[in-house]
């Protein structure tokens, strides 16, 4: 029997790439994001994907979509990749922009988890997308890094709380060439294309464990930096300030 998968943030980037791969494998994919037009174009490409636009910051729209999904049966997987990003220093970011980033990245992940978990079959998979930017507070990571640190913490809590019924996973990508990272004006080490990132995610989600992180030549050094005492780690990150 084919898998039934809900993808939030499917309109472009990694989300769209995941939808293409899962659909090619025979999965029944449900596409969600705010952009109905982009979702419709992708669904036409995939020949049969279900389109249910919604906004992770709007609990009512999520609940409406959840009711539509459950009418078709339980889900095997639910994954959210919805995110906002605005590079720069913390003190230079507009407060309203920062609030919107928190609402989409962190509160949106919370809202999605609350809507998705009741839709999953026993043992179904819930995947939240953090980032290697959430491992440590780096210069120009600003509020985005803080929200991704929150998503990491949220996924850890859900993993413990839902262990008996739900396979909670955390996805921590490095730099991926999307409309978000195209805002960066600095060199991005180990930059990946969305299709390659999607393949890495699928490979990780099909295996055991909690976190899917890639590429390891970037993630492992950052994990080491996170493990260092503050006195040393902060001296190292200070050198990155331009």
């Amino acid at each position: 029997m084919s898998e039934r998968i809900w993808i939030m943030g499917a309109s472009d980037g990694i989300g769209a790439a995941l939808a293409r791969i899962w659909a090619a494998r025979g999965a029944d994919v449900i596409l969600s994001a705010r952009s109905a037009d982009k979702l419709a174009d992708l669904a036409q490409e995939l020949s049969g994907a279900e389109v249910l636009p919604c906004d992770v910051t709007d609990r009512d729209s999520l609940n409406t979509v959840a009711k539509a999904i459950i009418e078709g049966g339980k889900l095997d997987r639910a994954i959210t990749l919805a995110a906002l990003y605005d590079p720069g220093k913390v003190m230079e970011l507009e407060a309203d922009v920062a609030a919107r980033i928190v609402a989409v990245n962190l509160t949106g992940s919370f809202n999605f988890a609350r809507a998705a978990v009741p839709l999953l079959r026993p043992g179904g998979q819930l995947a939240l997308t953090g980032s290697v930017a959430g491992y440590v507070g780096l210069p120009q990571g600003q509020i985005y890094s803080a929200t991704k640190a929150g998503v990491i913490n949220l996924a850890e809590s859900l993993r413990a709380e839902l262990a008996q019924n739900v396979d909670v996973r955390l996805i921590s990508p490095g730099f991926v060439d999307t409309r978000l990272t195209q805002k960066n004006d600095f060199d991005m080490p180990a930059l990946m294309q969305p299709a390659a990132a999607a393949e890495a995610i699928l490979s990780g989600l099909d295996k055991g464990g909690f976190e899917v992180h890639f590429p390891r030549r970037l993630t492992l050094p950052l994990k080491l930096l996170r493990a260092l005492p503050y006195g040393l780690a902060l001296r190292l990150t200070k050198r990155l300030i331009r």
Side-chain angles (χ1 to χ4, degrees), residues 123-140:
Q125 192 173 80
L126 171 69
L128 305 184
T129 303
S131 169
V132 297
Y135 288 170
V136 292
L138 296 172
Q140 291 190 239

Side-chain angles (χ1 to χ4, degrees), residues 3-127:
E3 286 191 306
R4 193 160 185 252
I5 304 170
W6 184 19
I7 307 172
M8 176 63 66
S11 58
D12 56 19
I14 302 173
L18 280 168
R20 291 185 179 98
I21 298 173
W22 263 320
R25 293 183 179 184
D28 295 324
V29 293
I30 302 166
L31 310 175
S32 290
R34 290 181 299 163
S35 178
D37 292 344
K38 289 183 178 180
L39 293 178
D41 290 342
L42 180 59
Q44 186 174 16
E45 174 190 335
L46 300 181
S47 302
E50 187 175 357
V51 173
L52 293 173
C54 65
D55 185 340
V56 291
T57 68
D58 184 342
R59 290 191 298 274
D60 289 338
S61 76
L62 274 170
N63 290 336
T64 298
V65 165
K67 289 177 182 177
I69 289 174
I70 201 63
E71 289 178 359
K74 289 285 189 176
L75 294 171
D76 294 286
R77 308 186 201 229
I79 177 172
T80 179
L81 302 108
L84 287 182
Y85 173 64
D86 195 347
K89 296 179 181 179
V90 174
M91 299 304 292
E92 296 172 356
L93 183 66
E94 293 184 10
D96 289 344
V97 174
R100 180 65 181 166
I101 292 172
V102 173
V104 172
N105 296 1
L106 181 53
T107 309
S109 294
F110 167 81
N111 292 340
F112 180 80
R114 298 263 295 201
V117 166
L119 308 178
L120 291 167
R121 64 167 174 77
Q125 192 173 80
L126 171 69

